[in-house]
Amino acid sequence: MLDDVLGPSLDVLFCGINPGLMSEATGHHFARPGNRFWPALHLSGFTPRLLAPAEQHLLPSYGLGITNIVPRASAKAAELTREELAAGGAALAERVAGVAPRVLAVLGVSAYRTAFARPKARIGPQAEPVGGARVWVLPNPSGLNAHWTLPTIAAELGRLRASLDGHRR
């Protein structure tokens, strides 16, 4: 199981679907070299430089954290069951209520739809909060998600970041 990266007064709690096998092996979120999370985070302006997965402990100093919907590692998110995602969504809502980030940013629209029974959800801000936090759905940064490129993922993260400007903790 991969530990969450948390801190006080988070602006954004990024939420992956579940850890990949490399993340589980290294203990670092989004650890697979083809994953675009860390480059997109930097290109969007959330971090002043490109962080390596092993530097995830620095995220709280930028008002950022990371968690997952489902704690079980797998080679592909498609290996998760609907039941695991629904149970993970309920547990995530409790975790978010305890951590109290300003925004929960879920990285994967299909997983979000299943975990929170929102079949029509789209990328971007959502109308209903989770655990008291605003929700923003972002593209899955996995290299397996060929529909999205690094520039388009970074642009979506940039939209989220712009929504926080002037309102950061």
Side-chain angles (χ1 to χ4, degrees), residues 8-168:
S9 303
L10 295 180
D11 286 314
V12 181
L13 178 59
F14 289 100
C15 181
I17 300 167
N18 73 311
L21 298 178
M22 185 166 291
S23 288
E24 181 181 52
T26 64
H28 303 120
H29 293 268
F30 305 106
R32 187 172 258 335
N35 193 291
R36 297 161 297 182
F37 175 76
W38 297 103
L41 196 66
H42 172 59
L43 290 172
S44 67
F46 271 112
T47 59
R49 65 175 178 83
L50 175 60
L51 299 177
E55 295 177 296
Q56 67 185 17
H57 64 279
L58 298 175
L59 289 176
S61 69
Y62 302 117
L64 309 173
I66 305 178
T67 190
N68 287 290
I69 297 172
V70 175
R72 179 175 71 86
S74 67
K76 297 178 183 176
E79 296 173 24
L80 301 175
T81 66
R82 294 182 72 77
E83 294 77 20
E84 281 180 293
L85 287 165
L92 177 61
E94 290 180 20
R95 194 162 48 251
V96 169
V99 174
R102 290 187 52 222
V103 177
L104 171 67
V106 180
L107 296 152
V109 68
S110 295
Y112 173 80
R113 288 173 180 156
T114 302
F116 295 99
R118 305 278 185 265
K120 295 182 181 183
R122 302 258 186 261
I123 298 294
Q126 305 301 303
E128 296 187 32
V130 168
R134 288 187 326 154
V135 177
W136 198 290
V137 176
L138 296 164
N140 181 346
S142 168
L144 298 174
N145 183 5
H147 299 297
W148 289 84
T149 64
L150 175 57
T152 58
I153 294 168
E156 288 300 324
L157 268 75
R159 286 181 56 214
L160 166 58
R161 188 178 145 289
S163 80
L164 297 170
D165 282 352
H167 305 287
R168 307 222 24 206

